[in-house]
């Protein structure tokens, strides 16, 4: 196909969704891919930042996601293989809770419904198999064998490098100021240029409300923090002996990953900050009081951890009312929107990137579940109202 008839697709935002969409689109020879990112290549301000993301297929958020997660697992492996980088550590994901807890019940439902490879533990088995954890009386565990940790920064670099090598033009340090539809196309305005496109993929995460007014009522920003602690002995917390974990006790959701730096583990608590409307309202760091509280929780769940965090960071993520991501194409088929990943979307970013690519190239037969559409989201907004916080 000649260069003149290639469809020009501009991706706005090269974070989790944008980078993976750039990779998927750059594999097609009938499109010209342009990516625009307000900061540098793989920066520290995106919702993806923070060394690791938990990957799970046994999914308490619901069975709807399991086929997406299985396909994502395949795509993470494909990205690893194409890039030659280690992105996905399949060390397992261990969920611990009381058996009647809703997260445990729904996780086990997906295990049974999709026949997922797993190990179940009663309290004593859990204590023997995973002695790093302070297991409470009555706790049970389920180890998702296809779970583990993904390295987000390395994954984005891999996807962006491959996209560039395949001919994508990526522009960094270039904020998009506006996206305007006009007859026959879309104009993407930056401080120095007006770039014409056939289709735009809006993948601007927490900043999306600044570019699309329709999202202002729908999205809220949840502030989310990460903390790392040092154990007395790192050996039991290295990837070969320590799965990623999720722990639910009362109002506390604790989650984390094995040591990737060789001296500390990520062990973080669910957010207690109020929701925000704009990235500028998000605090840049924890207070000492907040860190001391998480340190006490870390010590309670892992007795061998020193309760002083050696590292911490504060982030944000765009949440929809029921934490379902938005995947939509406008009536004109010119603007594809993928945002609102609601604190759990990194793991299936490759599938969302592929869906964005399909919607941008062949919207009529993209085959995306209408549950993710903007119209369905607006219906749910009318029923349940905007996200109010408390999720993780
Ligand atoms: C602390 C924390 C922990 C999490 N843990 C997990 C986990 O364990 N497992 C999991 O699956 N998910 C997890 N998530 C969720 C997941 O990381 C996010 O949902 C995901 O990264 C969001 O991807 P995104 O592409 O929508 O946004 P981002 O990754 O933030 O990307 C948006 C990009 O768009 C750029 N941009 C925005 N506006 C403009 C503009 N006007 N012009 C140009 N560029 C622009 C931004 O700079 C950014 O690079 C977590 C999130 C957080 C914050």
């Amino acid at each position: 196909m000649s260069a003149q008839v290639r469809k020009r697709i501009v991706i706005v935002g090269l974070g989790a969704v944008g980078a993976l969409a750039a990779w998927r689109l750059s594999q097609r020879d009938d499109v010209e891919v342009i990516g625009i990112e307000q900061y540098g290549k793989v920066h520290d301000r995106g919702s993806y930042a923070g060394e690791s993301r938990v990957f799970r297929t046994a999914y308490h958020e619901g069975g709807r996601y399991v086929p997406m997660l299985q396909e994502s697992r395949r795509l993470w492996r494909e990205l690893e293989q194409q890039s030659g980088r280690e992105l996905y550590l399949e060390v397992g994901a261990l969920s611990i809770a009381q058996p009647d807890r809703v997260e445990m019940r729904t996780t086990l439902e997906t295990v049974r419904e999709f026949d997922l490879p797993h190990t179940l533990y009663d309290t004593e088995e859990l204590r023997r198999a995973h002695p790093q954890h302070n297991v409470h009386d009555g706790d049970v565990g389920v180890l998702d064998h296809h779970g583990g940790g993904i390295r987000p920064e390395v994954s984005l670099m891999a996807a962006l490098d491959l996209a560039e090598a395949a001919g994508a033009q990526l522009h960094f340090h270039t904020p998009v100021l506006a996206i305007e539809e006009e007859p026959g196309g879309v104009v993407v305005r930056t401080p120095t240029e007006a770039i014409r496109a056939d289709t735009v993929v809006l993948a601007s995460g927490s900043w999306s409300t600044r570019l699309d007014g329709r999202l202002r009522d729908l999205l809220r920003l949840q502030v989310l923090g990460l903390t790392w602690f040092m154990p007395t002995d790192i050996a039991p917390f290295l990837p070969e002996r320590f799965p990623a974990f999720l722990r639910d006790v009362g109002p506390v959701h604790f989650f984390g990953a094995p040591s990737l730096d060789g001296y500390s583990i990520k062990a973080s608590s669910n957010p207690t900050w109020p929701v925000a409307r704009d990235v500028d309202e998000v605090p840049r760091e924890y207070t000492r009081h907040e860190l001391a509280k998480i340190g006490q929780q870390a010590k309670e769940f892992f007795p061998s951890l020193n309760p002083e965090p050696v590292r911490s960071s504060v982030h944000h993520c765009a949440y929809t009312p029921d934490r379902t991501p938005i995947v939509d194409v406008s009536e004109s088929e010119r603007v594809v929107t993928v945002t609102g990943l609601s604190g759990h979307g990194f793991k299936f970013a490759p599938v969302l990137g592929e869906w964005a690519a399909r919607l941008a190239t062949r919207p009529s037969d993209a085959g995306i579940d209408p549950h993710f559409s903007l119209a369905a989201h607006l219906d749910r907004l009318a029923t349940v109202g905007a996200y109010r916080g408390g999720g993780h």
Side-chain angles (χ1 to χ4, degrees):
M1 190 171 278
S2 72
Q4 288 88 325
V5 297
R6 289 193 307 163
K7 194 170 187 182
R8 178 184 269 194
I9 298 172
V10 173
I11 303 169
V12 176
L14 295 173
V17 172
L20 274 295
W23 171 52
R24 299 311 294 168
L25 277 165
S26 68
Q27 314 238 311
R28 292 158 160 83
D29 57 11
D30 55 350
V31 295
E32 176 192 356
V33 182
I34 299 176
I36 308 181
E37 166 56 49
Q38 63 183 342
Y39 299 123
K41 187 176 181 180
V42 190
H43 54 87
D44 65 355
R45 299 180 191 194
S47 300
Y48 59 80
E51 187 186 72
S52 60
R53 288 289 179 268
V54 177
F55 183 87
R56 302 171 273 136
T57 57
Y59 215 55
H60 68 76
E61 289 84 348
R64 180 188 302 279
Y65 293 98
V66 175
M68 288 169 71
L69 292 162
Q70 291 172 321
E71 177 61 3
S72 289
R73 178 170 172 265
R74 190 189 69 71
L75 289 171
W76 284 122
R77 285 288 186 232
E78 188 177 321
L79 182 59
E80 267 192 326
Q81 190 254 323
Q82 281 188 22
S83 66
R85 298 182 201 237
E86 189 183 41
L87 311 175
Y88 168 36
L89 284 78
E90 199 166 79
V91 294
L94 177 65
S95 300
I96 300 179
Q98 295 282 308
D100 56 354
R101 177 103 190 182
V102 64
E103 291 88 345
M104 181 56 75
R105 283 194 282 108
T106 46
T107 299
L108 289 173
E109 273 166 30
T110 59
V111 164
R112 282 190 282 269
E113 185 183 347
F114 294 91
D115 196 20
L116 303 174
H118 70 284
T119 305
L120 284 179
Y121 303 101
D122 65 23
T123 309
E124 286 315 316
E125 290 166 341
L126 192 54
R127 285 180 174 142
R128 275 196 300 278
H130 300 283
Q132 303 91 335
H133 292 264
N134 175 23
V135 174
H136 296 169
D137 289 346
D139 276 351
V140 295
V142 54
L143 180 69
D144 172 358
H145 294 189
H146 284 171
I150 302 178
R151 300 163 77 202
E153 290 87 354
V154 189
S155 301
L156 264 60
M157 190 61 84
L160 294 172
D161 281 352
L162 285 167
E164 278 184 309
Q169 300 164 49
L170 306 183
H171 304 276
F172 297 100
H173 305 289
T174 307
V176 168
L177 304 177
I179 298 168
E180 292 159 7
E181 282 200 52
E182 56 178 41
V186 195
V187 175
V188 177
R189 295 198 188 277
T190 75
T192 53
E193 267 186 291
I195 303 170
R196 278 193 67 83
D198 294 300
T199 308
V200 166
V201 174
L202 183 68
S204 46
S206 300
W207 292 262
S208 300
T209 52
R210 293 183 181 178
L211 290 170
D212 183 343
R214 296 172 309 165
L215 300 174
R216 270 180 214 133
D217 289 338
L218 198 53
L219 294 179
R220 293 290 180 274
L221 303 192
Q222 174 70 68
V223 186
L224 293 140
L226 298 172
T227 39
W228 286 257
F229 296 90
M230 280 176 74
T232 39
D233 177 12
I234 197 67
F237 292 93
L238 293 175
E240 52 276 18
R241 288 174 61 186
F242 189 67
F245 67 90
L246 295 91
R247 186 113 190 227
D248 289 288
V249 180
V252 178
H253 172 76
F254 223 64
F255 63 96
S259 181
L260 299 181
D261 59 16
Y263 72 93
S264 71
I265 67 158
K266 184 195 268 185
S268 307
S269 190
N270 54 317
T272 51
W273 289 279
V275 294
R277 299 292 288 251
D278 188 87
V279 173
D280 284 347
E281 299 165 21
V282 173
R284 291 293 287 167
E285 54 183 37
Y286 282 104
T287 63
R288 289 302 309 163
H289 175 72
E290 287 160 349
L291 288 176
K293 196 171 150 205
I294 299 168
Q296 282 166 9
Q297 292 170 348
K299 182 82 186 157
E300 149 63 13
F301 292 134
F302 299 99
S304 81
L305 291 189
N306 180 34
E308 180 66 25
V310 284
R311 199 151 42 110
S312 67
S313 54
V314 174
H315 310 266
H316 48 75
C317 191
Y319 277 54
T320 62
D322 64 350
R323 302 186 63 213
T324 302
I326 300 169
V327 184
D328 190 74
V329 61
S330 64
E331 228 172 279
S332 64
E333 300 188 345
R334 298 278 182 199
V335 180
V336 173
T337 302
V338 183
T339 184
L341 274 60
S342 305
H344 67 122
F346 191 86
K347 55 182 84 58
F348 43 75
V351 157
L352 296 181
E354 172 60 25
W355 287 2
R358 277 196 238 154
L359 285 170
T361 50
R362 299 169 65 94
S364 51
D365 56 3
I368 313 300
D369 183 346
H371 181 75
F372 295 99
S373 70
L374 198 51
H377 275 283
L378 291 170
D379 283 349
R380 290 193 288 273
L381 176 69
T383 326
V384 298
Y387 171 79
R388 288 181 204 86
H392 43 74

